Amino acid sequence: MDLEPPSLRLLITMNLGFWGVQIGNGLQTAHASAVFESLGAEASQLPLLWLGAPLMGLLAQPIVGELSDRTVSRWGRRQPYFLGGAVIGAAMLLAMPLATSLVQAVALYWVLQLALNVSVAPSRPFVGDLLSPAHRTLGYSLQGFCIGLGTICAAGLPWILEHVFRLEPVSHMGIPDVIRGAYWVGAAVCLVGSLATFWAVDEPAPQVIELVEEERLPMLKAIAQAMAELPLMMRQLAVVQALSWSGIYCIFLYLPNAIALNVLATPDRSLTSYSHNVEWAGLCTAFYNLVCLGVSWVIPSLSQRWGRVTVHACCLMAGSIGLLSLLLVHSRYPVLLSMVGLGIAWASILAIPYSLLMDDLAAGQSGVYMGIFNGFITLPQIAMSLGFGWVMKTLLQDNRLWALALGGILLGLAALLMLRVPEPARTSENEAVSALAPATK
């Protein structure tokens, strides 16, 4: 059994498709609200329109994970779903900016979310299949790197199309050309990256003897049984994940306008200074994702030295301090210091929990359990989409900065609870029981 470190070529090719899908995900995160509003949506409608993302994740990921666990094909068991979701997602990215009504755009957005979740669902167990336990933290850190890089690319595409290719940044009717062009470029990268991974990487043979179809439980019954028999590590991480992603969702909802309106104290949206401060908030988003890229490279070595539980708790606390420090900031450049803490937390959230969980899963059930694990991300987002408006109006007085501070408190609580999770025994390369080393074509 080959326990040599994975080659650089494998690490790149296995993540090309994931990076392409994350550009698509970053585009809808950054620009879906702008598309909806350009077609007549009211600001108060946006949380409900955004429900497609967590709902599709909650429904699709456990089902696709279970299906991929039981799939046997010449193309592997994860990649058919990964590529199929990417193809449909690319088609939706092409179509969404062509929508002429809000109903069309919302319908395409929901299908896009379904496709992206179908593609992402097998990507987590894909890392576990390809890499030994000794190298999985590296694999998931690289996925975090791809998420950060995808977000930066998605955020920067409109600027590049405006300033390099001279597309129009505004439109008096419908969706601006720069947004439309960004979606089309994203569709191409999503499709090409996924095809590159599909052709360059062979999945290993399953590590365990698969059950014949007659001996398997029906799919929904198998998912229900898996939910009733959650592994110990998943139960220990459940509350940590829920609190972490509730804090992150506060960032998704309120960071740009909190920086522009509250931190930098813009008195009126009609002022030119508001537009400039919103642009600065966009740069802050790009900056914390840049920090995420850098931290993703050092998480494996830090985890090897101090343990994954300790490193994750420290990273979450850094994010908590970063968000709470915004209460003390009143000018532009100190905001970047707060973003450092946020980027550190973001890198760890995208890597360490999945590495910890994957080591505790049986090879034949990693897909379904990774899908169920996603529920600890999507359920808090659904709850916040439905109820956080009342919290904002009644308790936080519509102050976006207080919402970010609440997110910081949630990250801090997650950090403290993480310290209660027992540190797993460290896996050395000599002790690792790995999947078969994959071949490259």
Side-chain angles (χ1 to χ4, degrees), residues 102-128:
L102 181 60
V103 173
Q104 289 179 4
V106 171
L108 291 168
Y109 171 78
W110 280 55
V111 177
L112 171 61
Q113 287 303 318
L114 176 61
L116 292 177
N117 276 285
V118 168
S119 190
V120 167
S123 64
R124 299 296 188 183
F126 187 58
V127 171

Side-chain angles (χ1 to χ4, degrees), residues 6-62:
S7 67
L8 179 61
R9 180 190 176 195
L10 173 62
L11 292 173
I12 292 174
T13 54
M14 68 183 284
N15 283 296
L16 280 176
F18 187 77
W19 170 64
V21 170
Q22 291 308 316
I23 289 181
N25 191 56
L27 283 168
Q28 59 85 18
T29 299
H31 305 300
S33 292
V35 171
F36 293 152
E37 291 193 40
S38 70
L39 295 172
E42 300 291 336
S44 60
Q45 297 174 312
L46 293 179
L48 287 177
L49 299 181
W50 270 66
L51 267 178
L55 275 178
M56 291 300 101
L58 181 65
L59 296 173
Q61 293 213 21

Side-chain angles (χ1 to χ4, degrees), residues 8 84 117 170 249-250 310 319 344 365:
L8 179 61
N117 276 285
V170 296
Y249 205 53
C250 291
T310 302
I344 292 171
Q365 293 184 300

Side-chain angles (χ1 to χ4, degrees), residues 308-387:
R308 288 173 289 182
V309 169
T310 302
V311 170
H312 190 46
C314 292
C315 290
L316 291 174
M317 190 58 70
S320 174
I321 294 171
L323 287 178
L324 290 171
S325 68
L326 289 172
L327 294 171
L328 306 175
V329 174
H330 305 290
S331 58
R332 285 190 170 191
Y333 291 103
V335 176
L336 297 179
L337 294 177
S338 300
M339 294 300 101
V340 171
L342 182 54
I344 292 171
W346 188 224
S348 185
I349 287 170
L350 295 174
I352 290 181
Y354 301 99
S355 174
L356 287 168
L357 179 61
M358 190 68 197
D359 288 353
D360 202 38
L361 298 180
Q365 293 184 300
S366 58
V368 64
Y369 278 121
M370 282 293 184
I372 294 171
F373 196 51
N374 187 63
F376 300 121
I377 298 173
T378 56
L379 285 174
Q381 292 179 348
I382 292 171
M384 292 184 70
S385 293
L386 294 175

Side-chain angles (χ1 to χ4, degrees), residues 388-412:
F388 200 70
W390 179 87
V391 174
M392 277 291 290
K393 182 170 291 186
T394 306
L395 302 179
L396 303 181
Q397 302 177 9
D398 283 330
N399 189 312
R400 297 169 184 83
L401 188 56
W402 289 1
L404 292 182
L406 176 60
I409 293 172
L410 294 173
L411 288 177

